[in-house]
Amino acid sequence: MKNLVIAIDGYSSCGKSTTAKAVAATLHYAYLDTGAMYRGVTLFLLENNIAFDDMARIEHALRHDIHISFKRNSKTGRNELCLNDKIREDDIRQMRISNSVSEVSVIVQVRHAMVAQQQRMGRRRGVVMDGRDIGTTVFPDAEVKIFMTADVEVRARRRQEELAGKGEHVDLADIIENLRKRDHIDSTRAESPLRRASDAVLLDTTHITINEQVDFVLDKVSSALFAAYANKQLHG
Ligand code: DC
């Protein structure tokens, strides 16, 4: 089977990562959560008191002090984000990181470093990546591109439940404000803003279940594989 790149982009908390993980598991593909990488950089800057406009320190840190990787948790089977070889998965999901990560993702030097690493990690293809700019910037040649959206209140409720499951109780209004702010910053930044690639398929998850989202993507994967096969038959 041809190894594809599957790009799943879209607004915050639309179910991108849940869908991407399930699709990767079904296809035995790798899964890369690119948002976790920006969260890891944000955690490093906050913990080291590096201001988001201190470009000299940020560039130095990116080059010498920030090492982002993923480690498979043998109990859950999930990939967890490591910052400098230490698992920081729980820390990067906290609201304090969600409240700052979009500001960090605007920084051009941060984007260049993360995009280069993501391209290296996906170079063998056979990967599902979720993020904001996968179909437009990281892998513009991805065979399957999905752009996910959903009503902001539905997204906020889902995020609230997810945080509550980890013991963090946050007001719905605060989550809605955070999602709106992040969507705005992510879509209006100069460097690789969040936008739907012209060849991405829109998937609105407001009224559908996770299983339906996964089936939708798998259906697009089947079509892409069929197209690749037919193309090979025709052109050798
Ligand atoms: O997917 P997430 O909510 O964990 O992403 C956190 C932030 O990271 C998001 O608000 C914008 C940024 N991000 C990005 O700029 N580009 C990506 N490919 C992925 C995430």
Side-chain angles (χ1 to χ4, degrees):
M1 187 165 76
K2 185 175 158 59
N3 273 341
L4 310 179
V5 172
I6 302 169
I8 303 186
D9 290 306
Y11 295 100
S12 297
S13 295
C14 289
K16 294 189 300 294
S17 65
T18 313
T19 307
K21 274 179 215 158
V23 169
T26 307
L27 299 171
H28 301 288
Y29 273 20
Y31 163 63
L32 186 64
D33 175 355
T34 63
M37 299 171 72
Y38 290 94
R39 287 173 180 270
V41 175
T42 306
L43 183 65
F44 182 92
L45 298 184
L46 289 176
E47 286 187 338
N48 291 279
N49 296 316
I50 300 179
F52 299 162
D53 59 359
D54 189 341
M55 287 316 144
R57 286 188 74 194
I58 291 175
E59 276 181 37
H60 185 275
L62 285 167
R63 212 165 292 140
H64 304 286
D65 307 322
I66 301 179
H67 175 61
I68 301 280
S69 58
F70 290 90
K71 199 178 204 165
R72 196 174 174 79
N73 179 324
S74 53
K75 277 194 203 130
T76 62
R78 297 210 164 140
N79 279 344
E80 299 189 325
L81 180 111
C82 301
L83 174 60
N84 298 330
D85 294 324
K86 195 165 167 237
I87 295 176
R88 305 298 304 270
E89 186 62 32
D90 289 342
D91 300 320
I92 61 160
R93 303 293 162 192
Q94 291 170 351
M95 269 307 268
R96 74 182 184 111
I97 301 298
S98 299
N99 283 332
S100 297
V101 63
S102 282
E103 283 172 66
V104 172
S105 316
V106 163
I107 303 166
V108 173
Q109 291 85 339
V110 171
R111 298 210 71 77
H112 285 177
M114 293 304 109
V115 168
Q117 186 174 350
Q118 289 153 16
Q119 288 171 336
R120 279 196 303 276
M121 290 168 112
R123 71 184 183 281
R124 293 205 192 104
R125 307 185 88 81
V127 65
V128 186
M129 285 198 188
D130 82 64
R132 305 292 188 292
D133 59 344
I134 310 303
T136 52
T137 305
V138 183
F139 280 99
D141 65 345
E143 289 84 355
V144 178
K145 295 185 188 178
I146 309 288
F147 190 88
M148 283 172 68
T149 181
D151 177 83
V152 72
E153 206 169 310
V154 172
R155 292 193 271 143
R157 283 189 198 286
R158 289 178 187 157
R159 178 54 66 106
Q160 192 183 37
E161 275 172 31
E162 197 182 310
L163 287 168
K166 291 176 186 157
E168 191 176 358
H169 299 278
V170 186
D171 277 352
L172 195 68
D174 289 343
I175 299 181
I176 292 177
E177 193 192 321
N178 172 261
L179 293 182
R180 287 215 163 102
K181 190 175 154 207
R182 281 206 284 149
D183 288 347
H184 178 73
I185 299 177
D186 294 346
S187 328
T188 52
R189 66 176 175 233
E191 182 81 11
S192 59
L194 165 66
R195 64 178 169 76
R196 178 181 166 188
S198 55
D199 51 351
V201 186
L202 188 69
L203 173 58
D204 185 331
T205 66
T206 308
H207 301 295
I208 64 173
T209 64
I210 296 290
N211 283 345
E212 287 169 326
Q213 296 171 33
V214 174
D215 286 346
F216 180 93
V217 180
L218 289 174
D219 186 56
K220 302 296 164 211
V221 172
S222 299
S223 306
L225 284 170
F226 181 75
Y229 173 77
N231 195 31
K232 199 166 174 220
Q233 293 299 308
L234 275 176
H235 305 291

